[in-house]
Amino acid sequence: MGKTPEAFIFDLDGVITDTAEYHFLAWKALANELGIDFDRDFNEKLKGVSRMDSLDLILEHGGKREHFTPEDKEKFAAQKNNHYKELIKNITPNDVLPGIKTFIEEIKKNGFKIGLASASKNAFAVVDSLGLTESFDTIVDSAKISKGKPDPEIFLTAAKQLGVKPEQCIGIEDAASGVDAINSAGMFSVGVGDHEILSHANLVFSSTSELQLKTILKAFNENASISEPIEA
């Protein structure tokens, strides 16, 4: 791990804004239509997972994974997404999670680059509705990658577009699969949420309002001084 970080790469859902409720409502509507029980507990398993992989998990949960053709699945995924897009039309700048605007401003003021790595194909629309498009130096969504989280591709792509080495990046995620992706990319991982679920992150905050640049940089540097002799 290098001693000086150069970039922060954010997840979108659950870190910048919380569109989880909209995803839940859209998936629940589709599941109900297919005769599959779908509740909030199962919805947690879909956090950070791509749309098609989420659909496969839901169909498997309902014992119907083999009942449909790839064409059927594409149709279902599009149906869910169209419903979701209708729901997110209600998003405004007021839906940015607590503390995030101030945190991003502090990061930019200190000269760090900022990227977004989101599994959502609607990332650009959501960021625009939040009024944060100009805050990011690059945005990578699932349309630009072939492998979803926990594969590190999306974070590595963001680092490449920012012109920064992975080990000089700090990734911020709220999902276990996202933290896996950050760690696999060789980046310093910051989790936001449940400490037990995100225990494999280098550093965990309970909520976005607690994110502190000073604390993160200190932890990054401490991690660097520990890991460098091991790598040598």
Side-chain angles (χ1 to χ4, degrees):
M1 187 78 67
K3 285 185 178 177
T4 308
E6 294 185 11
F8 283 75
I9 302 175
F10 289 79
D11 174 41
L12 176 60
D13 291 342
V15 176
I16 301 297
T17 190
D18 190 2
T19 59
E21 183 67 11
Y22 299 124
H23 281 295
F24 169 71
L25 292 172
W27 279 127
K28 183 172 176 59
L30 177 65
N32 288 347
E33 193 174 309
L34 297 174
I36 298 173
D37 288 332
F38 188 84
D39 58 22
R40 292 183 186 277
D41 286 340
F42 185 78
N43 187 60
E44 286 296 307
K45 297 180 181 179
L46 308 184
K47 267 193 173 183
V49 179
S50 71
R51 191 185 310 157
M52 293 307 297
D53 288 343
S54 291
L55 177 60
D56 278 337
L57 287 172
I58 291 169
L59 294 176
E60 188 174 330
H61 175 63
K64 298 187 176 184
R65 189 167 182 175
E66 308 304 322
H67 291 199
F68 302 104
T69 66
E71 290 75 20
D72 289 332
K73 292 178 183 180
E74 289 289 345
K75 184 183 76 173
F76 294 150
Q79 182 179 327
K80 180 266 175 182
N81 191 49
N82 288 336
H83 188 182
Y84 173 74
K85 284 196 287 188
E86 284 300 312
L87 292 171
I88 61 173
K89 284 180 181 178
N90 299 316
I91 289 177
T92 73
N94 292 328
D95 292 308
V96 177
L97 286 171
I100 287 296
K101 285 182 182 177
T102 303
F103 183 54
I104 287 176
E105 287 169 7
E106 189 179 7
I107 290 171
K108 292 182 82 70
K109 189 170 72 175
N110 281 272
F112 298 105
K113 294 180 179 179
I114 303 181
L116 187 77
S118 172
S120 172
K121 287 185 178 177
N122 302 296
F124 284 88
V126 172
V127 170
D128 188 53
S129 294
L130 293 169
L132 291 177
T133 302
E134 299 303 313
S135 297
F136 297 99
D137 298 301
T138 192
I139 295 176
V140 182
D141 63 6
S142 61
K144 297 180 181 176
I145 58 167
S146 58
K147 298 173 185 174
K149 303 169 187 176
D151 190 274
E153 183 185 7
I154 194 165
F155 283 98
L156 292 173
T157 301
K160 186 176 182 181
Q161 291 185 2
L162 290 170
V164 177
K165 293 179 181 178
E167 60 268 25
Q168 304 297 114
C169 294
I170 294 169
I172 303 178
E173 266 279 1
D174 74 313
S177 60
V179 171
D180 285 335
I182 295 169
N183 291 342
S184 296
M187 300 177 180
F188 183 86
S189 56
V190 175
V192 179
D194 189 300
H195 284 251
E196 286 188 25
I197 294 173
L198 305 174
S199 60
H200 53 312
N202 294 115
L203 181 64
V204 182
F205 294 90
S206 296
S207 67
T208 55
S209 61
E210 295 179 9
L211 286 167
Q212 289 188 337
L213 180 60
K214 186 177 178 181
T215 302
I216 294 171
L217 295 180
K218 183 174 182 249
F220 180 97
N221 289 328
E222 287 173 354
N223 191 75
S225 64
I226 291 169
S227 61
E228 279 182 353
I230 298 172
E231 293 171 356

